[in-house]
Amino acid sequence: MKSYLFTTDNDRGGVILCDIDEFEAAVEYLRQRFDGVVRVEQGHTLWTLEEGFGEIPPSTVHIPDGSLPPE
């Protein structure tokens, strides 16, 4: 099972847990099941209505003094 985070055009949405492993198939399923889906995320994988499929870059931690964060 995988969880998918989705958003609709009226700023609603949620998380759905389902047996769909392929991200593209999950996007299609969510768009059919819920009206107005405009964004779907799973891990670093992203789909948006405006830009299609892509990746979410990992965030970085900025420490002003240049030191490394504690481990």
Side-chain angles (χ1 to χ4, degrees):
M1 292 213 142
K2 287 191 175 184
S3 61
Y4 298 94
L5 175 66
F6 68 98
T7 306
T8 62
D9 56 5
N10 62 356
D11 292 327
R12 307 243 354 185
V15 177
I16 189 166
L17 184 63
C18 62
D19 290 326
I20 303 171
D21 289 328
E22 295 294 325
F23 184 72
E24 292 82 1
V27 169
E28 184 63 29
Y29 170 75
L30 288 166
R31 293 188 72 206
Q32 289 177 5
R33 181 162 179 199
F34 301 102
D35 291 332
V37 172
V38 295
R39 181 181 178 102
V40 179
E41 299 176 43
Q42 198 280 320
H44 289 284
T45 307
L46 170 70
W47 171 86
T48 65
L49 184 60
E50 293 176 350
E51 297 183 20
F53 292 95
E55 295 289 319
I56 301 170
S59 62
T60 57
V61 176
H62 174 71
I63 299 177
D65 67 3
S67 64
L68 296 173
E71 292 187 27

